[in-house]
């Protein structure tokens, strides 16, 4: 029974001019709206900024300025008391930490998703490279087999010499020259 063109399109790995086992897979993509992606990029930016030495220097300077203001300024301008352990500063730092942890986790999840996609693409690339390598190996073997069937230069020369000798013998016999015929036979 003859195959139809539709069946051939469904099975691309049966073509003779492509490596064996080539498959095309399309990864499912998540649908993202622009707002969710912007939020993800923002969380990554914040998490990336929090992981820098400049953030630590800035946070340290912020705390030093806060404490210096509340210790050195007159009581009327102070907004956080050193006597009770800078309660407002503690609350501000706790609030910052409570937001920092989820933002870092969100950024880490996005990085995990990117790593997973990159791993899948690397695996597919390695699979294609393996299929291409197998295809090329089969082609090299086919060429080697074809080269074995080809006549070598020495073989062709030997065949031509034997044909020339055969023609010389026939000419000698046809000419009726007994000496030349004996030389060629002997």
């Amino acid at each position: 029974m003859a195959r139809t063109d539709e069946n051939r399109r469904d099975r691309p790995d049966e073509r003779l001019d492509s490596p064996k086992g080539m498959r095309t897979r399309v990864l499912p993509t998540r649908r993202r709206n622009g707002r969710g992606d912007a939020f993800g990029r923002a969380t990554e930016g914040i998490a990336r900024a929090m992981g820098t030495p400049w953030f630590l220097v800035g946070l340290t300077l912020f705390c030093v300025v806060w404490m210096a203001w509340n210790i050195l300024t007159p009581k009327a301008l102070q907004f956080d008391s050193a006597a009770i352990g800078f309660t407002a500063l503690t609350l501000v730092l706790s609030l910052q930490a409570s937001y920092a942890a989820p933002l870092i986790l969100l950024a880490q999840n996005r990085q995990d998703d990117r790593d997973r996609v990159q791993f899948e693409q690397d695996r597919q690339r390695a699979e294609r490279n393996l299929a291409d390598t197998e295809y090329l190996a089969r082609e090299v073997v086919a060429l080697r087999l074809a080269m074995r069937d080809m006549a070598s230069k020495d073989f062709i020369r030997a065949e031509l010499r034997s044909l020339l000798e055969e023609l010389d013998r026939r000419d000698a016999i046809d000419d009726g020259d007994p000496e030349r015929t004996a030389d060629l036979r002997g």
Side-chain angles (χ1 to χ4, degrees), residues 21-28 115-131:
M22 285 293 291
R23 293 183 291 266
T24 55
R25 292 186 199 157
V26 176
L27 292 176
D115 290 344
R116 192 173 306 112
V117 168
Q118 183 66 38
F119 175 75
E120 180 64 24
Q121 289 173 348
D122 289 346
R123 188 190 64 72
Q124 288 176 351
R125 190 175 303 115
E127 190 175 277
R128 282 192 307 267
N129 287 342
L130 179 63

Side-chain angles (χ1 to χ4, degrees), residues 1-178:
M1 181 187 315
R3 287 186 178 172
T4 64
D5 287 336
E6 291 175 22
N7 289 342
R8 286 187 187 148
R9 270 187 254 133
D10 293 340
R11 306 175 111 184
D13 58 341
E14 287 191 14
R15 294 183 49 167
L16 296 177
D17 62 343
S18 66
K20 183 178 177 185
M22 285 293 291
R23 293 183 291 266
T24 55
R25 292 186 199 157
V26 176
L27 292 176
T29 57
R30 291 188 205 172
R31 298 187 87 180
R32 293 182 179 166
N33 56 15
R35 198 176 74 213
D37 200 36
F39 181 74
R41 284 194 305 269
T43 59
E44 283 180 340
I46 293 169
R48 197 172 291 118
M50 285 183 181
T52 63
W54 296 112
F55 177 77
L56 294 174
V57 169
L59 187 60
T60 303
L61 287 176
F62 173 78
C63 292
V64 168
V65 168
W66 182 293
M67 288 188 266
W69 178 271
N70 288 301
I71 292 174
L72 301 175
T73 58
K75 288 267 189 215
L77 296 175
Q78 292 179 2
F79 52 86
D80 196 10
S81 173
I84 56 174
F86 297 109
T87 307
L89 178 62
T90 305
L91 288 173
V92 167
L93 292 176
S94 295
L95 182 66
Q96 182 269 334
S98 69
Y99 275 97
L103 289 174
I104 291 170
L105 289 174
L106 284 171
Q108 197 172 26
N109 287 341
R110 283 177 53 92
Q111 184 61 43
D112 288 343
D113 289 344
R114 280 194 302 271
D115 290 344
R116 192 173 306 112
V117 168
Q118 183 66 38
F119 175 75
E120 180 64 24
Q121 289 173 348
D122 289 346
R123 188 190 64 72
Q124 288 176 351
R125 190 175 303 115
E127 190 175 277
R128 282 192 307 267
N129 287 342
L130 179 63
D132 289 344
T133 303
E134 288 174 353
Y135 173 73
L136 291 173
R138 285 193 306 271
E139 289 296 315
V140 167
V141 167
L143 287 173
R144 284 184 179 169
L145 289 173
M147 290 298 291
R148 283 187 193 148
D149 291 340
M150 291 180 61
S152 69
K153 181 171 54 173
D154 294 333
F155 175 77
I156 292 172
R157 284 183 183 156
E159 287 294 313
L160 287 174
R161 278 190 200 115
S162 69
L163 286 173
L164 283 173
E165 288 174 3
E166 179 68 29
L167 286 173
D168 283 345
R169 263 189 242 125
R170 287 186 184 172
D171 284 346
I173 293 171
D174 289 343
D175 291 345
D177 186 3

